[in-house]
Amino acid sequence: MKLPCLLSLLFAVALSAQQPATPPGGAPVPWDTIAIHVTDPAHADNGFERNTANGLSQHAMTMDLFIAGAYTFTIFPTKDLIEGLPDWAKDTKYDVEARVSPEDAAAYKKLTSLSIPDTAKAFATRQYTGEMLMDQALLEERFHLKVHTELRERNVFLLTVAKGGLKMKTAADPAHGSANFSRDHITGKGIPVSFIGNILSIPAGGLVVDQSGDVGQYDFELHYAPQDMDTTAAGASNDPDFFTAIQEQLGLKLTRGKAQVPVVVIDHIEKPSEN
């Protein structure tokens, strides 16, 4: 067996062995009803996902993002961590309405309300949360999804602490976190550095691998010149470019490199059964 294959096999074994008897957030509960429809093209521009009091609502979501949310350990799911999807699953947008029974509503609310520290711990140790397991069950039941995870080399941004150390404030409320961002401004409260890396991957335009070694949670604010402006317009901004701003305002640094990252590989998937 070639070394890369052996490493992927050992990784898969380690991943399956560390899932706890009771998942973070609590044990999953069964779905009572699931309705799936192809999104009306007239309303396909604004995709979203949200948890309701008794279930899940998704609108105009492609399968790569749905699968990423269920199987990868990132707060903003990315299709870059999915391989093997057929074209229809990449392009077709779906609306999903899934609900639990009234007697399971309280348990569902608890497992979808996992705290930021507990979520960060679960992600760091690659433990599927109860909410992720419920999403997996939906995908397996209605799309007959089968996957496995392998380590693959990717071009990434490596996140490290910049010279001079971190410049962010320790989180005032570590139990609750939030993040808001636009094309030139990001604010975060109670966010672990690993999650900050995930947030930064959006404006950076590529995967970010946290190599900071920091396990704290922070409040921060980041201003930078919009990257989608032309050179003349961007030069008119009073803010530094994105990569400079990260160092000056957060005390973090992004550098280009390569890394072995866990990738979800699709073994089997079908178009959803009729409702």
Side-chain angles (χ1 to χ4, degrees), residues 4-57:
C5 294
L6 177 59
L7 289 174
S8 293
L9 177 60
L10 292 174
F11 172 80
V13 172
L15 178 63
S16 62
Q18 64 189 4
Q19 188 66 28
T22 300
V29 297
W31 294 111
D32 186 44
T33 61
I34 301 172
I36 301 175
H37 301 281
V38 174
T39 303
D40 182 345
H43 304 285
D45 291 337
N46 298 313
F48 66 80
E49 176 181 357
R50 63 170 176 254
N51 291 112
T52 66
N54 63 339
L56 169 71
S57 291

Side-chain angles (χ1 to χ4, degrees), residues 36-40 44 60-66 85-95 143 271-272:
I36 301 175
H37 301 281
V38 174
T39 303
D40 182 345
M61 294 287 287
T62 52
M63 290 305 303
D64 47 9
L65 293 179
F66 194 176
L85 276 175
D87 288 342
W88 68 264
K90 298 176 185 176
D91 300 332
T92 307
K93 295 182 178 181
Y94 289 97
D95 297 339
F143 292 87
K271 293 182 179 181

